[in-house]
Amino acid sequence: MGILTGKKGLILGVANDKSIAWGVAQACKREGAEIGFNYLGDMMEKRVRPLAEEAGATFIEPLDVSDDAQMDAFFAKVEQHWGMLDFMVHSIAFANKDALRSRFSETTRADFQFALDVSAYSFIACAQRAARLMSPGGSMVTMSYLGAVRAVPNYNVMGVAKAALEASTRYLAQDLGRDGIRVNALSAGPIRTLAASAVGDFCKLMDKSARGSMLGRNVSQDEVGNATAFLLSDMASGISGEVHYVDAGFHVGAGDPGVE
Ligand code: NAD
Ligand code: 0WE
């Protein structure tokens, strides 16, 4: 029997088979969960639907998290389909590409608002709707990155969004804890995905991160998926408001202080 046997949950943010959310879906499926997915627009439907079917999903609906009408419609369909939820995974982020290349001090109001809306507020928006369908024992996980707490070159406004996302995780954990619902963030090391592949010099960043980590390598979608399945499960019933690192130990290192 798997650690998620009999549980029903949403996994938001599958774009293709390289997505972190797809690693999460495979782990949850293996552990016995029944899964529902979203896709962003008609372009993504072609990619996501076959994957969702492979994961045995019965629920696949469109959702752009920046649109309140789509948010309400999506969660109304979740309620119709299942009537309740045991877990939700939020694996969604986006910033204007220019904001990840230009000088941080030149960040525009529009780029700031867009990045924080899609990458941070959307977790609150999903959590408030998912929580209404959850009973005590419910669990939510969002995906963060070290750029929330360290200045990572070029991560820029996304770092500010991840800082807001991690703080939101703590406040959601405090608020929804009253209802017995746990809320956690998982901070993943760099992984080559659609979002990451559009980033210049990502190879160099992967290289540095492998060398600076405790295990001397990077992490995989599967490793993030397994840790997420744990946080979603009753095995983690004592964990809430946490930012759990799955980065091969990179964040506890001292970087390169120039001594061997
Ligand atoms: P990905 O491109 O596979 O996933 C990002 C997802 O966000 C896509 O499915 C995309 O459709 C979705 N999305 C963007 N805007 C949206 C909107 N308005 N409405 C609904 N969905 C929207 O890339 P990924 O690397 O798997 O990213 C998933 C999460 O993991 C993100 O939060 C990212 O910040 C985080 N993360 C990634 C890495 C990495 O190195 N890849 C490391 C740490 C954390
Ligand atoms: O969270 C992310 C990716 C976030 C992301 C990436 C893009 C590229 C394409 C958000 N929006 C966009 N918009 C685009 O147009 N990561 C943790 C991966 C990542 O992205 C970086 C990184 C790392 C690591 C960007 C700069 C520096 C490091």
Side-chain angles (χ1 to χ4, degrees):
M1 210 171 95
I3 61 174
L4 295 174
T5 295
K7 291 193 190 281
K8 297 175 172 61
L10 292 174
I11 298 180
L12 308 177
V14 175
N16 58 34
D17 65 350
K18 303 287 182 299
S19 292
I20 288 175
W22 180 240
V24 174
Q26 288 176 301
C28 290
K29 168 79 183 158
R30 187 193 68 226
E31 294 302 326
E34 197 180 319
I35 307 160
F37 295 91
N38 80 307
Y39 57 87
L40 175 62
D42 300 339
M43 291 242 309
M44 288 293 180
E45 183 175 7
K46 289 191 222 66
R47 284 268 163 69
V48 177
R49 200 168 276 281
L51 289 172
E53 276 158 16
E54 185 184 326
T58 49
F59 185 89
I60 314 148
E61 295 291 339
L63 173 62
D64 177 337
V65 293
S66 66
D67 181 340
D68 279 329
Q70 286 192 38
M71 287 289 301
D72 289 335
F74 181 84
F75 279 90
K77 283 179 198 149
V78 174
E79 185 167 15
Q80 268 173 35
H81 186 74
W82 278 329
M84 55 82 69
L85 269 181
D86 294 297
F87 66 82
M88 179 190 73
V89 177
H90 173 278
S91 184
I92 290 171
F94 205 74
N96 182 350
K97 196 171 181 147
D98 293 333
L100 304 178
R101 307 191 272 231
S102 356
R103 296 184 59 162
F104 178 71
S105 60
E106 302 293 333
T107 304
T108 66
R109 191 187 302 273
D111 288 351
F112 183 95
Q113 286 177 345
F114 180 66
L116 271 91
D117 184 37
V118 172
S119 314
Y121 177 72
S122 69
F123 184 45
I124 303 171
C126 291
Q128 65 191 208
R129 290 169 176 84
R132 290 185 204 122
L133 301 173
M134 286 183 177
S135 310
S139 178
M140 308 181 186
V141 173
T142 188
M143 294 300 157
S144 194
Y145 175 62
L146 184 62
V149 294
R150 306 259 191 90
V152 174
N154 299 317
Y155 200 60
N156 294 2
V157 74
M158 270 308 306
V160 181
K162 292 302 191 191
L165 181 69
E166 291 185 4
S168 300
T169 298
R170 290 184 283 273
Y171 283 99
L172 285 168
Q174 182 171 64
D175 185 19
L176 299 178
R178 288 200 308 189
D179 308 317
I181 297 167
R182 298 182 298 103
V183 186
N184 292 289
L186 187 155
S187 185
I191 298 177
R192 199 173 303 285
T193 62
L194 185 64
S197 66
V199 175
D201 269 352
F202 201 72
C203 282
K204 227 166 112 185
L205 187 134
M206 293 274 290
D207 229 59
K208 277 195 181 181
S209 110
R211 277 188 278 110
S213 75
M214 302 296 117
L215 296 174
R217 62 169 178 84
N218 287 306
V219 296
S220 67
Q221 283 88 336
D222 288 348
E223 290 176 310
V224 172
N226 287 336
T228 303
F230 160 71
L231 287 172
L232 294 173
S233 79
D234 298 337
M235 302 268 292
S237 57
I239 304 175
S240 195
E242 179 77 323
V243 179
H244 185 83
Y245 283 81
V246 179
D247 67 346
F250 181 84
H251 76 111
V252 304
D256 182 0
V259 282
E260 242 321 282

